[in-house]
């Protein structure tokens, strides 16, 4: 796919991937073998009928391609952009065994953008079935659940603690990867379907969970992941050490990158980002756009990076440096407690035959990587507010215990990161969709 | 949108903000805070709730103008863009209410910290617990809510840095010489003040509760900006606090972290006062 030139894009927040034009989409679609037993569908968490929509593109029937996708996924504009396709549908594509897999994600995005441009998203209210459902959290899981339930005529209200809808899609994933106008279109679509959004409302604080239960027939808890993890190393509280969540929230939600932004961002010359996942890439690439040098610090090697391949490639193109096989031991600070760098130990990979190679520290190998800002992007712990505010059975990590999406309370369902711990957007959407169906069954409106 | 009922000046730099928000007023317990946003593009500002009226459904906040964002807040007349809350845990003194029956509690407030001690003092007085207050201010004209605190507390001692009202000196000077026996001390004010109150109280064997007010963004356990070191562990003020036992708090660390954005915020503040600087790029 064509991209914005890296020398231009490191100075702005515009979308990096430019998307296919019609000819490119048709050409890519024509490579599809339309297998009799399509493995790609099995690789998709929401089982989109991939060969069917690709054939429609090939035949230039974009409207029909859009409705095929819509049957399984209400948010193709988001998924086409943020799904780790190389680990899902595209990993299963037969073409990929000898050459390049079909770019299914790019095709999905093309169809979604085409539908948007041609105003195909004119959904309407379903006839109300009188059932009221409250959804806690407006992230990908909550949105997916709302979409299923509103389609079947439920009166859905989504409660969001922040002032904007979208959860991680709003505060976490940067503009250059998922433009906020795409997110807004998807949210507007839900509003047209009758979904009600209530902002600045923390369930358990602003409105009690028991009150919510009284006024609704069912509840879906999709509160997302929680507090950012820190390493517990020396001087981690130094001035200049941040969580990726904080930096991303400041930049994406509070628009710190805009010239006249009111929410500040820490001024730095060289930033070290610890971690190798999508959040680490998002943080590194976002902060890079604020000026200065950025280095990733990751304890395994390139092959083990859990981030989406494309993000890693884009990070390289944007001049982000990668330090592999190093693990932070402590934060080096000056007399005033400002960050001076990270003391790291060199690591080596050990192949124990497991899925993921483990690492071990090489004795007496430590050295300092200089930098005046450190961002920790090493995952999250469950938000303690769930346990405190919402009366549901949780495991010892504080994650909600579910059977499917059913919780210890018969009228309450849960899914997404609040159940699994930090995972991907599409897995959260899958759980939301599943919860929508299970809630439908529970309410007796679906079979 | 949240209706602003009052946004009035109490002194040179301190304002009283009264907002209509039925749900927050109904759920509020002393010790909790809210996050407010003046406009859609504003910074999220955490402020401790100073008073709430469950019947009329309003809450009151007191804030001091310290930078561009609080200055912007003074300009809001009709509606606030966002108010989130009530956030954080209830006051630790209420948490420990069971052991308080015959107790006496000493409150120490500094500057605008006098506002958040009011609901706690009221709560305890209603339970028949005796409360005193040492209230420190810069000078006579910076004193706020004097009548309110005198109506609630059994004894109020006011200090001013310059001696223009009450006793000349700091709250710790008074605390040092106090002979009454208290069971708990609750200190709310600038971090430096809380640090010294805790040290002084410790030397008297008095347990102190403090309310931390670090930098926050979301305020609901997502961003991790508000971390404080308590008892050698990282705690998040928004979900674990905002109140902690003073002797466990690493105040020096908290003071350093408060200054994190000082240059950035100072620059934004100056810009909003003087308009955009032109032609001095070299200063950046």
């Amino acid at each position: 796919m064509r991209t914005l030139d890296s020398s231009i894009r490191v100075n702005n927040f515009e979308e990096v991937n430019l998307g296919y034009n019609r000819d490119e989409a048709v050409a890519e679609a024509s490579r599809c073998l339309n297998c009799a037993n399509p493995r790609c569908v099995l690789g998709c968490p929401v089982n989109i009928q991939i060969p069917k929509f690709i054939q429609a593109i090939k035949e230039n029937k974009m409207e029909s391609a859009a409705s095929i996708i819509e049957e399984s996924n209400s948010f193709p504009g988001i998924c086409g952009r943020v799904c780790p396709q190389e680990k899902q549908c595209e990993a299963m594509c037969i073409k990929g065994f000898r050459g390049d897999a079909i770019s299914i994600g790019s095709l999905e995005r093309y169809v979604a953008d085409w539908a948007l441009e041609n105003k195909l998203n004119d959904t309407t209210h379903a006839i109300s079935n009188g059932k009221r459902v409250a959804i806690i959290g407006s992230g990908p899981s909550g949105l997916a659940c709302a979409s299923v339930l509103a389609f079947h005529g439920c009166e859905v209200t989504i409660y969001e603690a922040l002032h904007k809808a979208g959860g991680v899609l709003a505060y976490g994933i940067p503009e250059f990867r998922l433009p906020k106008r795409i997110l807004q279109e998807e949210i507007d679509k839900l509003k047209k379907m009758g979904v009600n959004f209530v902002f600045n409302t923390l369930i358990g604080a602003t409105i009690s969970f028991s009150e919510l239960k009284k006024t609704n027939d069912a509840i879906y808890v999709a509160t997302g992941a929680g507090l950012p993890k820190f390493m517990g190393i020396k001087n981690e509280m130094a001035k200049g050490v941040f969580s990726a969540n904080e930096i991303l929230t400041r930049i994406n939600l509070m628009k710190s990158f805009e010239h006249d932004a009111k929410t500040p961002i820490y001024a730095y010359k060289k930033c070290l980002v610890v971690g190798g996942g999508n959040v680490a890439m998002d943080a590194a690439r976002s902060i890079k756009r604020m000026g200065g040098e950025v280095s990733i610090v990751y304890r395994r090697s390139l092959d083990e990076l859990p981030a989406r391949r494309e993000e890693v490639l884009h990070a390289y193109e944007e001049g982000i440096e990668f330090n592999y096989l190093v693990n932070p031991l402590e934060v080096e600070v000056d007399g005033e407690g400002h960050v001076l760098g990270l003391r790291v130990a060199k690591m080596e990979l050990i192949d124990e035959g497991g899925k993921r190679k483990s690492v071990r520290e090489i004795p007496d190998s430590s050295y300092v990587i200089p930098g005046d800002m450190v961002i920790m992007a090493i995952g999250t712990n469950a938000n303690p507010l769930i346990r405190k505010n919402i009366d549901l059975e949780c495991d010892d990590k504080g994650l909600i215990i579910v059977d499917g999406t059913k919780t210890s309370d018969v009228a309450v369902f849960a899914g997404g990161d609040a159940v699994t711990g930090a995972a991907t957007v599409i897995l959260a959407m899958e759980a939301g969709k599943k919860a929508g169906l299970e809630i439908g069954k529970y309410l007796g409106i679906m079979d | 949108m949240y209706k602003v009922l009052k946004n009035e000046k109490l002194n040179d730099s301190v304002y009283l903000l009264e907002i209509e928000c039925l749900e927050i007023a109904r759920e509020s317990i002393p010790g909790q805070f809210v996050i407010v946003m003046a406009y859609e593009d504003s910074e999220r500002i955490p402020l401790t709730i100073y008073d709430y009226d469950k019947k009329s459904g309003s809450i009151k906040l007191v804030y001091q103008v310290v930078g561009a964002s609080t200055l912007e807040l003074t300009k809001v007349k009709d509606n606030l863009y966002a108010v989130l809350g009530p956030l954080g845990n209830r006051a630790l003194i209420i948490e420990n209410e069971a052991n308080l029956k015959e107790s006496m509690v000493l409150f120490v407030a500094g500057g605008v910290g006098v506002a958040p001690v009011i609901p706690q003092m009221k709560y305890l007085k209603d339970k028949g617990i005796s409360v005193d207050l040492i209230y420190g201010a810069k000078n006579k004209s910076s004193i706020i809510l004097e009548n309110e605190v005198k109506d609630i507390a059994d004894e109020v001692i006011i200090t001013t840095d310059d001696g223009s009202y009450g006793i000349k000196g700091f709250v710790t000077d008074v605390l040092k010489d106090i002979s009454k026996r208290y069971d708990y001390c609750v200190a709310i004010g600038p971090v430096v003040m809380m640090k010294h109150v805790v040290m002084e109280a410790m030397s008297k064997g008095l347990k102190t509760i403090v309310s931390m007010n670090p930098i926050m963004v979301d305020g609901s356990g997502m961003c991790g900006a508000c971390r404080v070191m308590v008892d050698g562990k990282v705690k998040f003020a928004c979900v674990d606090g905002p109140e902690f036992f003073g002797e466990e708090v690493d105040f020096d660390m908290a003071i350093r972290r408060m200054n994190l954005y000082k240059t950035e915020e100072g620059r934004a503040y100056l810009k909003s006062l003087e308009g955009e600087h032109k032609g001095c790029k070299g200063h950046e």
Side-chain angles (χ1 to χ4, degrees):
Chain A
M1 192 186 291
R2 284 169 290 116
T3 56
L4 204 62
D5 188 80
S6 59
S7 64
I8 296 168
R9 70 183 195 239
V10 290
N11 295 313
N12 66 35
F13 276 78
E14 279 162 40
E15 190 170 18
V16 170
N17 280 330
L18 298 175
Y20 285 148
N21 59 33
R22 181 180 287 249
D23 291 345
E24 287 164 340
V26 172
E28 183 64 17
S30 304
R31 292 176 55 231
C32 176
L33 299 174
N34 195 11
C35 306
N37 291 309
R39 293 156 41 91
C40 51
V41 179
L42 303 175
C44 173
V46 294
N47 306 118
I48 296 175
Q49 295 305 304
I50 294 166
K52 262 172 91 181
F53 94 76
I54 292 183
Q55 290 313 301
I57 299 177
K58 201 160 120 184
E59 290 158 20
N60 233 323
K61 293 177 184 156
M62 300 310 167
E63 197 166 339
S64 129
S67 56
I68 293 164
I69 296 176
E70 189 77 22
E71 281 167 23
S72 323
N73 183 5
S74 304
F75 309 102
I78 296 172
C79 295
R81 287 173 167 85
V82 305
C83 270
Q85 290 96 359
E86 78 273 13
K87 288 181 190 160
Q88 300 174 356
C89 52
E90 294 175 16
M92 305 288 271
C93 175
I94 207 87
K95 278 265 190 182
F97 291 95
R98 289 173 67 186
D100 290 338
I102 306 295
S103 295
I104 301 167
S106 305
L107 290 172
E108 181 185 24
R109 175 193 157 163
Y110 172 75
V111 174
D113 290 358
W114 182 90
L116 203 66
E117 251 167 61
N118 292 278
K119 309 250 176 290
L120 274 197
N121 293 341
D122 276 340
T123 31
T124 46
H125 266 254
I127 298 159
S128 171
N129 59 28
K131 301 287 184 191
R132 290 173 60 96
V133 181
I135 295 177
I136 312 177
S138 71
S141 206
L143 296 179
C145 183
S147 164
V148 173
L149 291 170
F151 180 80
H152 284 89
C154 294
E155 288 169 31
V156 179
T157 304
I158 301 185
Y159 293 92
E160 170 58 51
L162 287 170
H163 55 281
K164 287 258 157 72
V168 73
L169 304 169
Y171 73 75
I173 298 180
E175 180 77 21
F176 56 82
R177 203 145 82 77
L178 175 67
K180 297 292 168 281
R181 66 180 166 82
I182 302 287
L183 173 62
Q184 196 53 50
E185 290 283 351
E186 306 286 12
I187 287 161
D188 289 346
K189 199 160 81 181
L190 289 177
K191 282 185 182 162
K192 275 185 207 153
M193 288 168 79
V195 175
N196 181 27
F197 286 82
V198 178
F199 297 109
N200 307 308
T201 302
L202 183 65
I203 297 302
T206 320
I207 299 173
S208 72
F209 191 59
S210 56
E211 191 178 324
L212 203 64
K213 270 169 62 176
K214 261 184 247 157
T215 51
N216 287 278
D217 298 298
I219 295 176
Y220 181 50
V221 181
T223 47
L227 286 164
K229 272 187 196 161
F230 288 91
M231 298 189 74
I233 57 175
K234 198 178 159 196
N235 294 329
E236 211 172 3
M237 291 283 285
K239 285 160 89 167
V241 181
F242 299 89
S243 76
N245 272 11
E246 179 182 351
I247 294 301
L248 289 170
T249 305
R250 284 178 184 273
I251 294 178
N252 296 318
L253 185 72
M254 309 309 291
K255 310 272 175 228
S256 298
F257 62 86
E258 284 173 2
H259 174 65
D260 52 357
K262 289 167 184 166
T263 298
I265 192 98
Y266 193 72
Y268 78 102
K269 290 193 182 73
K270 185 173 177 191
C271 177
L272 309 175
V273 179
V274 180
N278 284 320
V279 175
M281 295 307 133
D282 284 345
R285 297 175 63 205
S286 295
I287 203 81
K288 174 81 188 171
R289 284 159 168 76
M290 307 298 295
E293 280 175 61
V294 181
S295 268
I296 296 269
V297 174
Y298 180 54
R299 61 192 183 132
R300 294 187 171 85
S301 70
L302 171 67
D303 289 338
E304 287 80 30
L305 275 176
R308 210 170 163 256
R309 272 294 106 138
E310 195 178 35
E311 312 313 326
V312 177
L313 177 71
H314 287 167
Y316 265 98
E317 287 173 2
E318 287 160 13
I320 287 163
E321 187 187 287
F322 283 73
N323 298 280
Y324 294 114
L325 292 165
V326 280
N327 196 33
L329 297 174
E330 70 175 274
V331 180
E332 299 275 326
V333 294
D334 67 12
E336 283 165 22
H338 281 282
V339 173
L340 286 177
L342 273 177
R343 176 165 293 280
V344 297
K346 288 187 186 167
M347 309 295 279
E348 61 187 348
L349 287 170
I350 16 178
D351 199 345
E352 289 171 329
K355 223 176 164 188
R356 206 172 174 201
K357 281 181 186 151
S358 40
V359 276
R360 97 179 131 216
E361 196 177 308
I362 300 172
D364 305 319
S365 64
S366 87
Y367 68 101
V368 175
I369 306 176
D372 53 359
M373 180 180 190
V374 171
I375 299 176
M376 292 293 174
I378 52 170
T380 51
N381 288 317
N383 190 329
L385 288 181
I386 297 179
R387 199 170 244 182
K388 200 180 123 208
N389 292 345
I390 301 174
D391 187 23
L392 295 174
E393 256 177 57
C394 294
D395 66 12
D396 48 11
K397 286 183 190 155
L399 300 170
I400 303 167
I401 298 172
V402 291
D403 170 17
T405 61
K406 294 187 191 86
T407 68
S408 53
D409 184 324
V410 63
V412 182
F413 299 75
D417 284 2
V419 165
T420 58
T424 60
V425 167
I426 187 66
L427 289 175
M429 283 186 178
E430 179 194 13
K433 188 177 157 185
K434 194 163 156 197
L437 300 173
E438 289 188 354
I439 291 170
K441 266 187 213 162
Y442 167 74
L443 296 175
I445 52 163
M446 295 177 217
D447 357 280
Chain B
M1 287 298 203
Y2 298 78
K3 197 173 167 198
V4 172
L5 302 172
K6 223 181 251 174
N7 191 6
E8 62 182 31
K9 224 175 180 169
L10 294 182
N11 69 33
D12 270 358
S13 63
V14 176
Y15 286 72
L16 170 75
L17 179 62
E18 187 177 1
I19 318 159
E20 186 179 280
C21 31
L22 303 165
E23 286 156 337
I24 299 176
R26 194 179 55 201
E27 299 292 332
S28 284
I29 305 167
Q32 293 184 299
F33 64 97
V34 291
I35 282 192
V36 301
M37 287 176 80
Y39 306 105
E40 193 177 349
D41 62 348
S42 296
E43 198 172 1
R44 294 170 68 87
I45 308 172
L47 295 169
T48 309
I49 301 167
Y50 130 64
D51 198 7
Y52 46 82
D53 186 332
K54 291 184 192 277
K55 269 192 210 128
S56 72
S58 71
I59 61 165
K60 285 183 192 163
L61 313 164
V62 166
Y63 65 95
Q64 183 161 24
V65 177
V66 291
S69 292
T70 37
L71 181 70
E72 182 186 60
L73 196 55
T74 65
K75 299 190 175 122
V76 175
K77 286 199 177 68
D78 304 324
N79 291 297
L80 280 173
Y81 173 70
V83 184
L84 170 66
L87 300 170
N89 297 300
R90 59 182 177 173
L92 269 181
I93 194 81
I94 298 175
E95 205 73 49
N96 289 280
E97 200 185 313
N99 336 319
L100 285 177
K101 280 193 185 83
E102 302 282 309
S103 300
M104 287 180 60
V105 179
L106 174 66
F107 285 84
V108 182
V112 286
V114 71
V117 301
I118 290 176
Q120 299 199 24
M121 293 201 304
K122 238 193 228 170
Y123 183 95
L124 295 179
K125 278 300 280 185
D126 285 349
K127 305 267 169 184
I129 296 160
S130 162
V131 300
D132 289 345
L133 171 70
I134 307 172
Y135 167 27
K138 211 181 241 168
N139 52 42
K140 190 180 176 192
S141 65
S142 65
I143 291 166
I144 55 166
L145 306 170
E146 186 183 354
N147 293 334
E148 280 85 342
V149 293
K150 284 187 168 161
D151 280 350
I152 307 163
D154 297 291
E155 193 186 344
V156 176
I157 302 172
I158 294 179
T159 67
T160 50
D161 299 357
D162 64 357
S164 55
Y165 192 76
I167 297 168
K168 180 177 162 53
F170 297 125
V171 288
T172 38
D173 299 329
V174 174
L175 182 60
K176 210 182 295 170
D177 298 333
I178 230 152
S179 54
K180 264 197 210 171
R181 283 253 148 229
Y182 293 98
D183 302 277
Y184 277 102
C185 171
V186 178
I188 306 182
V191 187
V192 185
M193 181 210 86
M194 293 193 286
K195 176 188 164 179
H196 289 283
V197 169
V198 168
M199 279 170 19
E200 197 54 56
M202 262 171 89
S203 71
K204 291 175 160 301
L206 182 58
K207 221 176 171 55
T208 304
I209 294 165
V210 297
S211 178
M212 301 304 284
N213 50 349
I215 293 165
M216 287 188 187
V217 188
D218 72 299
S220 58
M222 183 272 282
C223 84
C226 65
R227 50 198 204 278
V228 283
M229 284 298 266
V230 179
D231 198 17
K233 293 182 203 79
V234 175
K235 295 280 177 186
F236 298 89
C238 73
V239 293
D240 299 321
E243 294 195 345
F244 298 99
F245 284 108
E247 58 257 52
E248 296 181 348
V249 174
D250 185 337
F251 287 104
D252 294 333
M253 178 86 79
I255 293 165
R256 279 204 297 272
R257 292 184 60 82
M258 291 287 293
N259 297 334
L260 207 53
Y261 286 98
K262 230 170 193 168
T263 27
E264 282 88 346
E265 199 171 78
R267 245 180 247 143
Y269 184 38
L270 283 177
K271 202 166 98 181
S272 66
L273 284 181
E274 302 161 10
E276 180 115 29
H277 275 281
K278 295 218 166 68
C280 44
K281 264 258 176 225
H283 287 201
E284 286 181 6

